[in-house]
Amino acid sequence: MLLHDVKQAVSIIDNPDIKVVINNDSDSHVISKHGYDLDIGSQIGFIAKKVSQDKELNIQQRSEIVHALKDFQINAQVYPYDRYIKEASNNLGVILSRSETAKSEKKHYVWNLNHYLGLNRNPEVIKFSQECIRRYGTGSGTSMVAGGMNEIHRKIEQFFSKYWGKEESIIFPTGYTANLGTISALVGQDDLVLIDKECHASIIDGVKLSKAQLLPFRHNDPIDLEKKLQKYSGKYHNVLVVIESVYSMTGDEAPVVEISALKNKFNFLLYVDEAHSFGFYGDKGRGLCYEKGCINSVDIMMTTLSKSTGSAGGIVSCSKELATYIQVKSSPYLFQACLSPGDAGAVYKALEILTRDTTYQDILWKNTNHFRGKLLEKGFDCRNSKSPIVPIYMSDPNKLALMCKEIFENGIFTNWVAYPVVGLHEGRLRFIVTANHTKEDINNTVEILYSAYKKITE
């Protein structure tokens, strides 16, 4: 094992105000850089944040500390973020690394890709994408408003307007910029944005860019949201509430009915990110809000096009007035090159397939239920996950690092999720089930996980 005895590994990161992490097990598992002691279980995001706040360090020194930790963890084979799939996304693949010390030609079960329906590998999608490249070229050349848009882009927008029952839709180059660009355009410094505390970074960054007042409410807690609306909504002329229908780090479903019902009592715009429910929740994959019957109460619907449709891009659907306002105010829409024709073609064909054939959704849910059931049988902590996002929680950073190393060596490729993406002691492994996974993939993965967990905890 990497540490002589995991139980003896002492981490003092219980206090978020400290700036060093020390492992008292052995000096060989600790390195020092510019006064910072770093160990195998140090979370690189936590360290990066701490050094960025250290006024005694210059930018080069801060960078050296973070890079030293990265190299240290790569050599110990517990750093997963430099790994990539040799032949891109699929359920199985050879995993390579930027690091010469972490090369591997072994095939792994792949569990960290959001291609829920597996349409990124669908022959029809690939063929139509190729046809679009031949017809429209490889790139759009400029932004939507400057002439980069083509007829496929417009067909995608029109599809979503009809699909979600909204007046207008706007396509963005990515899901991240759809959130960033829309939220930053809609609100300003005198407005209030209430967000679920588990919302994606693109939502948070959109609020920051807008300079609006940002106020998180407790995760999936309509009561806490109502209290904050009662207290603050009267103090602001404009209030925007932003939630996700399914949360990417937990797999939790949002209480969309209860939250949308608050519009009967308070005046606010409701923005729902359906990135992790579009394509496989609701009739023809319309998402959780449609499935729960509250989509008409949602003012702005958003989803990424990089997950269920296996391509890239983001879409925002709303009223015509809001759409126009976003188009003329959103910097990512105005100044970012438009989605490429090949990517747009893949989206368009995937939309056609997922709305005509439920086979992919049926397989995805069958795989999801089987995988979660097997994990729960083995005693793993999956919390409240209900979606194809299945987390395994491990609060001890050292054990999480060791678990990540152990399962990778035995043929599982997924990343550990750690601070600052999640809370300091809410680390986890995250598994994303797809329709491309087989029963054999699932069963073998669970056995590897169980063996690895026993090894690092006994």
Side-chain angles (χ1 to χ4, degrees):
M1 292 182 64
L2 186 62
L3 302 180
H4 299 311
D5 184 349
V6 176
K7 294 178 181 178
Q8 293 178 6
V10 178
S11 172
I12 58 170
I13 59 175
D14 288 320
N15 182 352
D17 293 324
I18 60 132
K19 75 171 186 177
V20 294
V21 181
I22 301 173
N23 182 327
N24 291 331
D25 175 54
S26 168
D27 288 342
S28 64
H29 299 304
V30 181
I31 60 169
S32 296
K33 193 75 174 179
H34 298 303
Y36 281 75
D37 292 337
L38 311 165
D39 79 349
I40 295 300
S42 298
Q43 297 184 33
I44 197 163
F46 174 78
I47 296 300
K49 182 176 181 180
K50 295 305 296 183
V51 300
S52 71
Q53 297 170 344
D54 190 334
K55 297 179 181 179
E56 301 299 317
L57 300 171
N58 60 40
I59 293 173
Q60 180 62 29
Q61 290 171 324
R62 293 168 183 170
S63 302
E64 288 172 358
I65 293 168
V66 175
H67 184 70
L69 176 58
K70 174 186 171 182
D71 270 354
F72 185 43
Q73 292 185 338
I74 283 175
N75 291 330
Q77 299 180 42
V78 300
Y79 186 83
Y81 306 117
D82 68 330
R83 296 170 184 160
Y84 58 96
I85 309 168
K86 182 177 182 180
E87 295 177 343
S89 50
N90 212 343
N91 61 314
L92 287 169
V94 171
I95 309 303
L96 302 179
S97 171
R98 292 187 181 94
S99 169
E100 292 299 322
T101 61
K103 296 295 183 184
S104 171
E105 286 292 323
K106 179 180 179 179
K107 275 202 170 184
H108 287 64
Y109 298 108
V110 177
W111 291 99
N112 52 358
L113 304 174
N114 292 299
H115 293 309
Y116 292 110
L117 302 179
L119 294 178
N120 63 303
R121 291 282 178 170
N122 183 279
E124 288 184 71
V125 172
I126 293 170
K127 181 180 178 181
F128 190 72
S129 177
Q130 292 169 336
E131 290 173 0
C132 286
I133 292 173
R134 281 192 290 268
R135 181 171 181 178
Y136 303 105
T138 58
S140 296
T142 188
S143 68
M144 298 285 284
V145 296
M149 186 174 184
N150 67 44
E151 61 183 337
I152 301 297
H153 296 120
R154 185 55 185 156
K155 287 180 178 180
I156 293 170
E157 291 179 338
Q158 291 170 331
F159 170 91
F160 274 98
S161 296
K162 183 177 180 181
Y163 186 66
W164 277 337
K166 303 300 179 185
E167 290 180 339
E168 186 58 275
S169 297
I170 310 167
I171 193 169
F172 283 81
T174 67
Y176 180 92
T177 53
N179 276 334
L180 182 80
T182 300
I183 294 170
S184 61
L186 286 176
V187 293
Q189 62 183 0
D190 296 322
D191 301 326
L192 173 68
V193 184
L194 290 160
I195 70 167
D196 186 293
K197 67 175 295 186
E198 296 291 333
C199 274
H200 191 264
S202 58
I203 293 169
I204 298 170
D205 289 348
V207 182
K208 289 179 179 178
L209 184 62
S210 75
K211 294 184 170 59
Q213 300 301 306
L214 173 61
L215 183 61
F217 59 90
R218 284 197 295 268
H219 177 53
N220 275 353
D221 191 338
I223 296 174
D224 188 48
L225 172 59
E226 182 172 8
K227 288 178 180 178
K228 287 180 169 58
L229 285 167
Q230 182 72 49
K231 183 175 181 180
Y232 295 105
S233 62
K235 300 177 181 179
Y236 295 88
H237 189 61
N238 297 298
V239 178
L240 179 69
V241 173
V242 186
I243 62 171
E244 298 177 35
S245 56
V246 172
Y247 289 88
S248 61
M249 291 299 123
T250 62
D252 295 348
E253 297 174 1
V256 291
V257 174
E258 293 86 344
I259 288 175
S260 62
L262 292 173
K263 295 190 70 178
N264 297 324
K265 299 174 65 175
F266 302 97
N267 182 28
F268 64 89
L269 290 178
L270 179 58
Y271 183 114
V272 180
D273 180 337
E274 291 262 16
H276 294 277
S277 64
F278 154 65
F280 48 95
Y281 278 83
D283 179 52
K284 299 185 186 301
R286 286 182 172 90
L288 185 67
C289 290
Y290 186 91
E291 181 180 284
K292 300 295 185 181
C294 59
I295 193 169
N296 292 336
S297 298
V298 181
D299 300 287
I300 304 107
M301 293 283 290
M302 175 272 170
T303 191
T304 179
L305 302 173
S306 63
K307 296 176 174 50
S308 287
T309 51
S311 182
I315 201 83
V316 173
S317 297
C318 52
S319 69
K320 289 181 179 180
E321 294 83 4
L322 285 174
T324 299
Y325 190 61
I326 294 164
Q327 285 172 313
V328 300
K329 281 196 81 251
S330 172
S331 290
Y333 184 83
L334 290 166
F335 303 112
Q336 187 175 200
C338 186
L339 184 68
S340 74
D343 288 330
V347 170
Y348 187 73
K349 181 56 67 171
L351 290 170
E352 179 188 308
I353 293 170
L354 72 85
T355 53
R356 76 167 189 240
D357 185 357
T358 64
T359 301
Y360 302 96
Q361 290 97 327
D362 295 341
I363 294 172
L364 172 62
W365 283 112
K366 182 178 180 181
N367 285 348
T368 298
N369 294 332
H370 180 62
F371 185 51
R372 184 180 288 106
K374 296 284 286 186
L375 290 174
L376 294 175
E377 285 178 11
K378 296 291 187 181
F380 285 108
D381 179 9
C382 300
R383 303 280 169 90
N384 298 317
S385 168
K386 295 181 180 179
S387 78
I389 300 167
V390 184
I392 295 177
Y393 289 83
M394 299 185 69
S395 61
D396 185 315
N398 284 306
K399 290 182 181 179
L400 180 60
L402 288 168
M403 185 74 169
C404 187
K405 173 181 183 291
E406 193 68 29
I407 63 174
F408 182 74
E409 289 178 349
N410 286 280
I412 294 177
F413 180 45
T414 193
N415 289 340
W416 58 345
V417 180
Y419 183 90
V421 178
V422 296
L424 200 58
H425 292 288
E426 296 179 3
R428 70 207 66 170
L429 297 169
R430 185 179 63 151
F431 295 82
I432 301 169
V433 185
T434 74
N436 277 347
H437 286 113
T438 67
K439 189 174 182 180
E440 181 183 15
D441 296 340
I442 293 169
N443 291 341
N444 289 345
T445 294
V446 172
E447 289 306 314
I448 293 169
L449 285 166
Y450 187 59
S451 297
Y453 187 74
K454 286 198 299 183
K455 182 176 181 180
I456 69 168
T457 55
E458 290 180 349

